[in-house]
Amino acid sequence: MPRTFLIGGNWKMNGDRALVDTISNTLNNATLPEGVEVVVAPPFTLLSLAREKFKGSIGVSAQNASFEKSGAFTGEISCAMLKDIAIDWVILGHSERREIYGESDETVGKKVAFAVKNGFKVIACCGEKLEHREANKTTEVVFRQLEGIRAQLTPAEWANIVIAYEPVWAIGTGKVATPEQAQEVHEQIRAWLSEHVSADVASATRILYGGSVNGANSSSLQSKPDIDGFLVGGASLKADDFLTICKSKM
């Protein structure tokens, strides 16, 4: 069965109510290609408004969630809180969470498992730094990150996981992996899934590319067989550019 192409827009710590209006008006009134799924991830303060403004066929995602149910965890957001405002997607394990806030592979795995067990669809991120790539350690790092997730999940739970491969050296730098570089890692991730989870999970799991994706390079990236969509950063804040990316799937 073909994998549905997915475009995710990670707004990070950007945006306001006006941007929700702008992006939602653009996407709601656009004719998107058949077989393409779109999910937007505004900051927490805009999630409820975004779910109200975007039409139902467009998903709305949080950018983080706790693995705790509730309690004395100042500043955290629980899965139950997100469910209460009709959010059922969450991005977890982004490199900025790992690097800036010290989230370990184990912590990311616990977050992913808790979210899935609470009915969420998860975009689980992985990716190497420049020094890892230059030392030929890309797969060592990526597979270690994936193992932190695999250790917490049953094979059946992978049905609600989307992997986003985001080479850290390409995030927000203007640098982008070539289609061949991205395809090579995506193919290796799929082979790892086949060996360590199952062939069925490997075949069905969507693997997104993220890292300076924009309207100019999305068309060439989407042509590769193991690239099942994009997790877009800065370009997701520009309505016309994001729409171009959403329409890039041939």
Side-chain angles (χ1 to χ4, degrees), residues 65-70 77-84 86-90 92 109-122 152-153 157 160-161:
S66 175
F67 58 72
E68 299 287 355
K69 183 177 180 181
S70 62
I77 300 291
S78 72
C79 288
M81 292 171 178
L82 295 172
K83 281 287 186 183
D84 191 46
I87 302 302
D88 58 4
W89 279 92
V90 61
L92 294 170
K110 288 172 68 175
K111 285 188 170 192
V112 170
F114 191 81
V116 169
K117 287 173 173 57
N118 282 273
F120 281 78
K121 292 166 280 189
V122 176
Q152 304 280 350
L153 297 177
E157 288 172 333
N160 290 309
I161 302 292

Side-chain angles (χ1 to χ4, degrees), residues 180-198:
E180 292 72 27
Q181 286 175 319
Q183 166 60 24
E184 180 183 30
V185 179
H186 282 228
E187 185 176 18
Q188 290 166 331
I189 290 172
R190 206 172 300 285
W192 185 92
L193 289 172
S194 183
E195 180 179 354
H196 295 276
V197 186
S198 76

Side-chain angles (χ1 to χ4, degrees), residues 63-106:
Q63 298 175 20
N64 187 30
S66 175
F67 58 72
E68 299 287 355
K69 183 177 180 181
S70 62
F73 303 102
T74 300
E76 290 295 311
I77 300 291
S78 72
C79 288
M81 292 171 178
L82 295 172
K83 281 287 186 183
D84 191 46
I85 57 171
I87 302 302
D88 58 4
W89 279 92
V90 61
I91 299 170
L92 294 170
H94 193 280
S95 63
E96 290 153 7
R97 299 297 312 175
R98 295 176 186 267
E99 291 298 311
I100 301 171
Y101 300 102
E103 292 189 4
S104 65
D105 297 335
E106 180 182 8

